[in-house]
Amino acid sequence: MIDLKQYEIWFVTGSQHLYGPKTLETVAEHSRAIAAAFDASSHIPVKVVFKPVLTTPDAIRELCLEANSSKSCIGLITWMHTFSPAKMWIAGLTLLKKPFAHLHTQYSREIPWSTIDMDFMNLNQSAHGDREFGFIGSRLRLERKVVVGHWQDDEVQSQLGVWARAASAWADWQGAKIARFGDNMRDVAVTEGDKVEAQIKFGYDVYGYGIGDLVKAVNEANEADVEKMVQAYLDEYDVMPSLQPGGERNASLREGARIEVGMRNFLQAGNFKAFTTTFEDLHGLAQLPGLAVQRLMRDGYGFGAEGDWKTSALVRAMKVMSEGMKGGVSFMEDYTYHFSASGDKVLGAHMLEICESIAAPFGKPKLEILPLSIGGKADPVRLIFDSLTGPAIGASIMDMGQRFRMVANVVDVIPTDEPLPNLPVARALWLPRPNLKVAAAAWIYAGGAHHTSFSYSVTAEHLQDFADMAGIEFLLIDENTRVQEFKEKLRWNDLYFHLSKGL
């Protein structure tokens, strides 16, 4: 469902005619070599395309307009091999609507001490050519990522790869459709927000549907497709005996399969990339969608429970960012605490909807049917598993009224202290960084939501790059966080985002 190779990053080099045709030919040769190396790099998941060296304002402007109109281009990597007077870039950069990363590098790695002359110096001028370009980016107050180092270094290619993944997620959001089955649940505040402002700011659109629209799709599910789905369950999971063919609860498994077939058909027909459900409005559905949601998330869909369309969109974005990487991404909720002398911990889960992409690798997830104490419907089928262990991050986007804010917390997922035989949901246990008291206090001061998009593969760097592209506030809670400093940052950010509207 997610193919990052459909996207292109254009490698754009700046120079000028002052140096003569021979130098410009060398500049182009070097640029082709760098673009080809990036295109072949395992760190960069998208295509990197060389573009002719830019030496005039008209050429720069035309390229930026071409990038804007290209469906495949998701951003530019810019590099000033020689000196490229920055006034030439004003018209193009002010029109550019795609993200760009500023690569500050040099073709030659080291100074050739015994042979260096002015020809070498004139050709390898990025040390001050990129500073000229950097000035105009700052003068125009343009968001961009600056990457410094030799282009062959793994660290440089890794940073560009992170940025490319964020740019892919940003491109995926443009024109994306989110299906919202039912409305916001009860009086919950943080899951609501301004959908019009979100479409203006982020590019995706939220479509509301009554539960009857979903029920119709479920009821129209083809029996052969339902049977095929049931067989997939039997093949992929450790299915409890009562749900297997001939078991007394097999009809519930088939109903879960019918719900999944119907939801898939609805989402595919409408070209949706994410969706929400709610356990308050289930009229016409036999059971709350649990297994279907888990599997749809596994296949790349974004999801948010209880009408939470912002988290649904963020889960999708983080799915795109992490495509092809180890780990996984899931909808998540901080559910309950373990206050202990051995270390305060968070048990994360939800009633049903945790994505199997984060399941621990030992054994198959269990497919079971158990009671659900809320929702007032038949017992739903769901996958139960312990999650992967290791570093992870949980992130949330909130509508703060005057702006959107993203807050993220780096955590370390650990094994549970003891087995959890009576907990009928998938779960993860983690130690927040720097610790629960600081992390929870900072999260609450920031107004962070109780729902998150949770990932073992996406990092704070991915999220920072993505937030910069979106032009929203980003707050990170990690091992360096101190509550008082965090509160001060919140106050300074309030002032900055208020004043920046007039800058």
Side-chain angles (χ1 to χ4, degrees), residues 47-89:
K47 297 176 183 176
V48 179
V49 178
F50 165 79
K51 287 294 178 177
V53 178
L54 300 177
T55 57
T56 68
D58 287 344
I60 294 168
R61 182 177 183 276
E62 289 303 314
L63 181 128
C64 290
L65 290 173
E66 183 186 356
N68 289 345
S69 62
S70 171
K71 292 183 178 179
S72 56
C73 176
I74 60 171
L76 312 180
I77 297 174
T78 59
W79 172 48
M80 305 303 112
H81 190 312
T82 59
F83 197 83
S84 181
K87 286 180 66 178
M88 296 196 307
W89 289 85

Side-chain angles (χ1 to χ4, degrees), residues 375-392:
K377 289 291 180 178
D379 299 339
V381 291
R382 83 290 299 273
L383 297 176
I384 300 174
F385 53 83
D386 289 317
S387 66
L388 295 161
T389 57

Side-chain angles (χ1 to χ4, degrees), residues 214-268:
L214 176 58
V215 170
K216 182 174 183 293
V218 171
N219 291 340
E220 292 175 350
N222 182 278
E223 287 299 326
D225 292 337
V226 173
E227 189 62 41
K228 188 183 299 184
M229 191 67 70
V230 169
Q231 189 58 49
Y233 297 164
L234 296 172
D235 293 341
E236 296 176 29
Y237 308 119
D238 180 8
V239 182
M240 66 186 300
S242 64
L243 290 175
Q244 295 184 15
E248 66 271 21
R249 308 297 296 274
N250 180 252
S252 295
L253 184 70
R254 294 187 63 84
E255 186 61 33
R258 186 178 304 280
I259 291 172
E260 180 173 350
V261 171
M263 291 186 81
R264 283 186 182 275
N265 290 343
F266 189 100
L267 295 171
Q268 289 171 2

Side-chain angles (χ1 to χ4, degrees), residues 244-315:
Q244 295 184 15
E248 66 271 21
R249 308 297 296 274
N250 180 252
S252 295
L253 184 70
R254 294 187 63 84
E255 186 61 33
R258 186 178 304 280
I259 291 172
E260 180 173 350
V261 171
M263 291 186 81
R264 283 186 182 275
N265 290 343
F266 189 100
L267 295 171
Q268 289 171 2
N271 195 31
F272 293 101
K273 294 180 177 178
F275 66 103
T276 72
T277 62
T278 166
F279 60 81
E280 182 178 34
D281 184 2
L282 295 172
H283 181 72
L285 284 180
Q287 57 182 260
L288 174 65
L291 176 60
V293 172
Q294 292 177 294
R295 287 170 53 84
L296 285 161
M297 261 195 290
R298 178 200 67 179
D299 293 344
Y301 283 96
F303 173 75
E306 301 149 32
D308 190 350
W309 50 272
K310 296 186 297 299
T311 299
S312 174
L314 185 57
V315 170

Side-chain angles (χ1 to χ4, degrees), residues 434 438 478-487:
V438 171
D478 63 6
E479 59 274 12
N480 299 314
T481 299
R482 303 293 180 269
V483 171
Q484 187 57 40
E485 294 173 0
F486 192 84
K487 290 172 66 177

